[in-house]
Amino acid sequence: MTVYESDLPGVGKKHEVELGDGSRLIIVTHNTGKREVFRRASADSDSEKLFELTDQLARQVGTLLEGAYFQPVQTETIETLLGDNTLIEWVEVGADSDIAGKTLRESDLRQATGASVIAIERGDEVITSPGGDAMVEAGDTLVVIGPKTACRDFVALVKGT
């Protein structure tokens, strides 16, 4: 998949996404936050407007499309790419993980990997911005942010791979 980005002075940004059949999905993000989504059937055709979303609705739809609430295919990890090199990743703590039963400070994960835990999901509870004294339990899902390599190192340490 190739994504093209261009500035629209006074308007915002335009992203064009090549869809495998030669068509393109075009997303115009206005400076106001409004999003317009178009489809162009071929390089020579005009764009057809599909729909328009407010900033808040676009973010909610994006989260759904990303799979943050439901993963239709079982995957080892869920991750979100921010920019070219920064990930937000969800990592489940297994019963045999070396960090289960330790605080974040004791686990020393940030210093060891460079990735930071921004939330702990424990059942229906979400602990946001956990401090160093937050206890990590088996079954928790840690929401982590950092460079791709730091997140990969984080997963390896938590899962013991």
Side-chain angles (χ1 to χ4, degrees):
M1 172 181 81
T2 304
V3 178
Y4 303 95
E5 179 181 304
S6 56
D7 289 323
L8 299 174
V11 176
K13 287 214 181 261
K14 177 174 76 170
H15 292 89
E16 294 191 40
V17 181
E18 287 183 350
L19 304 174
D21 62 357
S23 65
R24 288 188 180 188
L25 189 65
I26 300 160
I27 301 146
V28 177
T29 305
H30 292 255
N31 293 331
T32 62
K34 175 178 83 172
R35 312 304 198 281
E36 293 179 293
V37 180
F38 301 85
R39 182 177 178 276
R40 184 173 24 199
S42 69
D44 299 329
S45 65
D46 289 334
S47 297
E48 172 190 352
K49 185 173 181 177
L50 300 176
F51 55 89
E52 183 176 306
L53 301 169
T54 64
D55 181 57
Q56 182 179 5
L57 187 54
R59 291 173 189 277
Q60 291 170 329
V61 169
T63 300
L64 291 171
L65 289 171
E66 169 192 332
Y69 294 107
F70 173 69
Q71 291 290 311
V73 178
Q74 184 64 33
T75 60
E76 285 294 313
T77 61
I78 303 169
E79 62 183 38
T80 299
L81 186 62
L82 301 174
D84 290 335
N85 190 40
T86 302
L87 289 178
I88 295 178
E89 193 154 8
W90 287 253
V91 183
E92 187 173 340
V93 178
D96 58 345
S97 176
D98 290 340
I99 69 163
K102 292 182 179 179
T103 65
L104 287 175
R105 185 176 297 107
E106 292 168 336
S107 71
D108 204 32
L109 288 168
R110 184 184 316 169
Q111 290 74 19
T113 65
S116 299
V117 176
I118 58 174
I120 300 173
E121 295 178 339
R122 184 173 292 142
D124 291 335
E125 179 186 11
V126 177
I127 303 163
T128 58
S129 301
D133 59 341
M135 184 63 68
V136 178
E137 300 175 5
D140 285 351
T141 298
L142 305 179
V143 184
V144 180
I145 188 167
K148 287 180 186 179
T149 55
C151 287
R152 300 294 180 252
D153 293 345
F154 188 97
V155 171
L157 280 174
V158 170
K159 296 196 176 267
T161 57

